[in-house]
Amino acid sequence: GAVVSQHPSRVICKSGTSVKIECRSLDFQATTMFWYRQFPKQSLMLMATSNEGSKATYEQGVEKDKFLINHASLTLSTLTVTSAHPEDSSFYICSATGPTDNQPQHFGDGTRLSIL
Amino acid sequence: DQQVKQNSPSLSVQEGRISILNCDYTNSMFDYFLWYKKYPAEGPTFLISISSIKDKNEDGRFTVFLNKSAKHLSLHIVPSQPGDSAVYFCAASDGDSNYQLIWGAGTKLIIKP
């Protein structure tokens, strides 16, 4: 099946640090990638949608200057949490779909971000 | 306003028996439904999907049933195995080209030996 690789799987850093998370589709062209955040015992919350070569579309309440998303190629999207603070600690998951419509989303294994 | 609802937070089933996970939705524009399985600290894994033009889709031990008039879908797992213990999410899409998914809250399935 389709494989999506997300890296790193775990990050622990000090408050004020910027953290970059990578999401790669390994065996298909990901025309659309999604970034989710999951709080404990809650469902996935969509943060933003990115189409290759276009600016990301952010969900209401998600700060685009805080969570920078780049989708420069059909196989790579990055999420940068800028000047991270303890309240940004969470589990971040990416997914990818493509190259045609009506393909299931395939998920990375997520990144556990802990800000001290 | 929850457009996709999974009203059972957890479900316990004996190994070998049938597991039935339920999902209700409110948006009649949804035309594609998916089930994902998720283990702790991992991303969701796609299991099975169904288009609104069908009422049943089967893949091995997994069958999804869709009742459009009731706006209800269910996932049947038979026979249930210990490895099926996970959180199961129902998701729906209205066919937007961005294929954004609306997620249910998940049901934790526990398979008892």
Side-chain angles (χ1 to χ4, degrees):
Chain A
V3 178
V4 174
S5 173
Q6 186 172 339
H7 178 80
S9 59
R10 185 87 163 91
V11 180
I12 302 173
C13 56
K14 293 181 179 179
S15 184
T17 306
S18 291
V19 178
K20 180 185 280 189
I21 303 170
E22 291 188 349
C23 181
R24 293 179 185 273
S25 59
L26 300 184
D27 55 357
F28 67 101
Q29 292 182 327
T31 47
T32 304
M33 286 187 167
F34 303 87
W35 287 95
Y36 295 85
R37 184 171 176 176
Q38 185 178 26
F39 295 98
K41 297 183 180 180
Q42 293 189 29
S43 186
L44 300 174
M45 182 194 80
L46 179 64
M47 298 174 65
T49 302
S50 71
N51 292 300
E52 184 266 338
S54 303
K55 286 186 179 180
T57 302
Y58 289 81
E59 295 301 300
Q60 190 173 9
V62 179
E63 300 175 59
K64 60 181 181 181
D65 295 330
K66 174 78 171 176
F67 299 99
L68 300 178
I69 291 171
N70 183 279
H71 189 170
S73 78
L74 285 171
T75 59
L76 174 65
S77 176
T78 60
L79 167 68
T80 302
V81 184
T82 61
S83 187
H85 292 285
E87 59 267 29
D88 299 323
S89 298
S90 192
F91 192 56
Y92 293 86
I93 306 174
C94 73
S95 72
T97 185
T100 58
D101 288 344
N102 281 334
Q103 297 293 319
Q105 291 183 28
H106 298 279
F107 287 80
D109 278 339
T111 299
R112 171 75 61 192
L113 177 62
S114 300
I115 307 298
L116 305 176
Chain B
D1 177 33
Q2 275 187 294
Q3 296 187 65
V4 177
K5 299 177 184 177
Q6 292 177 258
N7 291 318
S8 298
S10 66
L11 175 67
S12 187
V13 174
Q14 201 75 34
E15 181 180 357
R17 307 291 286 268
I18 184 170
S19 295
I20 300 177
L21 298 143
N22 293 305
C23 179
D24 297 292
Y25 61 96
T26 58
N27 189 342
S28 58
M29 297 301 291
F30 288 149
D31 61 0
Y32 196 63
F33 304 89
L34 309 93
W35 284 95
Y36 285 83
K37 173 182 178 179
K38 186 180 183 298
Y39 294 114
E42 292 185 14
T45 302
F46 170 71
L47 279 176
I48 192 167
S49 63
I50 188 166
S51 164
S52 60
I53 62 174
K54 294 185 175 182
D55 53 20
K56 177 183 175 181
N57 189 24
E58 190 173 354
D59 184 1
R61 295 187 298 117
F62 303 93
T63 303
V64 55
F65 295 92
L66 175 63
N67 182 333
K68 289 186 291 294
S69 60
K71 293 191 179 69
H72 176 83
L73 67 155
S74 60
L75 174 68
H76 292 210
I77 306 173
V78 57
S80 300
Q81 298 173 355
D84 296 330
S85 295
V87 177
Y88 289 78
F89 289 97
C90 166
S93 169
D94 64 0
D96 183 273
S97 60
N98 278 336
Y99 199 62
Q100 289 188 0
L101 296 177
I102 310 299
W103 294 84
T107 296
K108 183 175 183 178
L109 177 64
I110 300 166
I111 305 302
K112 298 180 292 185

